[in-house]
Amino acid sequence: MKDSLYQDPTVSQSRRLERLSWTEIAELQKKTNCLLVPVGATEQHGPHLPINTDSVIAEKVCDYASGKTGVPVLPVMAYSVSAGHTTKWTGTFSMSHATFIEAIKDLVGFAVETGWRRVVLLNAHMGNDASLRVAVDVLRVKYLGQLQIVVVNSFTLSDEIWQYFISDAADLHANKGETDLMLHLAPDTVRMEVVEDDSDRTTATVFSYPVSQTSLNGVTGNPSEGSAAQGAWLFEMMGEALASLLERALEEEPPLPKSAWEGTGFSF
């Protein structure tokens, strides 16, 4: 049996804050005030993938980018907004949208109060996107001048990555792309002997539907086409794209000088 979690030299050099004491973190902050937060989910991923799929992907892509850039990584946020999967399949555990937004606000608030000035939220679950953007909108004005913050989705880090993810399903879930990655990152958690494809039924719809109304087995796409080799290629591309984004984030300042915006923040 293959190792349960893929290791490579770049990933193993990740600066995970959970491994450090507060004094070590204080020393680290003298070198960087940027923080990387992986955001995953705990939810059904069809009959063949584990419920931590999104969390594994978020964490490992962050590890890769951290190993390349030295930007430290918080522990993955494994519980988030999976309400769109409903209760049709066991294995889904979701926060409400409001609770998740407040959790992000509280977490980032503590980060700001303890000296972090740049926060990059790396999200690997599409259902989190709207809530994360609301949280970012609140935080960027509350901490105006103290914080620069952004949410980026692992599956849209570049157009090439996005096109690969949606190649078998625009409303992707547990599809080929995610299966590729898990075959590479955590092969002993993937059950290809029970994999079942289920086509995307949303391409011509007007309304937005929860997964229980669009999928028979929790899958949207063709995971039977999954490949560890393709997963290795995709993972490296995602890690490199995030590392490149972080390099820019470490240097970026607001487009206008402080005199143009000072005192215009607002706390909700």
Side-chain angles (χ1 to χ4, degrees):
M1 181 174 286
K2 297 180 181 179
D3 292 341
S4 62
L5 194 63
Y6 175 80
Q7 295 293 327
D8 95 0
T10 302
V11 170
S12 66
Q13 294 167 16
S14 172
R15 288 188 175 180
R16 290 196 182 183
L17 288 189
E18 65 201 71
R19 300 171 180 164
L20 305 179
S21 69
W22 77 262
T23 54
E24 292 172 314
I25 293 172
E27 285 299 311
L28 179 60
Q29 281 186 317
K30 294 177 182 178
K31 300 176 182 179
T32 180
N33 60 13
C34 186
L35 190 59
L36 189 53
V37 183
V39 185
T42 303
E43 62 183 26
Q44 72 82 21
H45 265 74
H48 71 292
L49 290 181
I51 63 174
N52 71 343
T53 292
D54 292 338
S55 296
V56 170
I57 293 170
E59 184 177 58
K60 301 312 289 185
V61 172
C62 284
D63 279 340
Y64 185 104
S66 175
K68 294 276 291 189
T69 64
V71 174
V73 183
L74 273 179
V76 64
M77 295 191 71
Y79 296 100
S80 54
V81 178
S82 299
H85 288 275
T86 72
T87 57
K88 182 175 180 178
W89 302 280
T90 189
T92 296
F93 299 88
S94 178
M95 291 185 182
S96 70
H97 299 80
T99 298
F100 181 58
I101 290 168
E102 290 303 314
I104 295 293
K105 288 166 58 180
D106 286 348
L107 177 69
V108 174
F110 255 85
V112 174
E113 296 299 334
T114 55
W116 302 101
R117 295 292 175 259
R118 301 166 194 257
V119 173
V120 177
L121 301 158
L122 190 278
N123 173 48
H125 169 49
M126 191 176 293
N128 291 335
D129 183 72
S131 298
L132 286 170
R133 293 189 183 280
V134 170
V136 166
D137 199 25
V138 172
L139 289 162
R140 66 179 181 167
V141 293
K142 178 178 181 179
Y143 295 109
L144 188 72
Q146 300 178 70
L147 173 70
Q148 290 164 267
I149 185 169
V150 66
V151 56
V152 291
N153 292 318
S154 61
F155 40 86
T156 59
L157 280 163
S158 73
D159 185 62
E160 184 177 6
I161 291 168
W162 174 240
Q163 292 304 318
Y164 186 84
F165 267 107
I166 64 172
S167 62
D168 63 323
D171 192 37
L172 65 100
H173 184 70
N175 68 329
K176 172 175 164 47
E178 291 192 330
T179 302
D180 289 341
L181 289 170
M182 291 301 285
L183 284 169
H184 173 59
L185 295 171
D188 73 340
T189 69
V190 182
R191 305 288 181 256
M192 292 302 285
E193 69 274 12
V194 296
V195 69
E196 298 176 5
D197 293 347
D198 199 12
S199 60
D200 190 346
R201 297 177 176 85
T202 69
T203 54
T205 58
V206 173
F207 295 103
S208 175
Y209 297 96
V211 184
S212 61
Q213 291 183 311
T214 64
S215 175
L216 295 173
N217 62 357
V219 168
T220 305
N222 302 323
S224 66
E225 300 173 4
S227 157
Q230 284 295 105
W233 168 81
L234 180 60
F235 176 67
E236 182 177 4
M237 184 161 51
M238 293 166 71
E240 290 290 337
L242 180 59
S244 177
L245 182 146
L246 289 175
E247 293 286 2
R248 301 197 308 274
L250 289 169
E251 303 295 330
E252 185 175 291
E253 296 295 341
L256 292 176
K258 187 175 181 179
S259 59
W261 47 261
E262 189 173 20
T264 59
F266 184 81
S267 179
F268 288 91

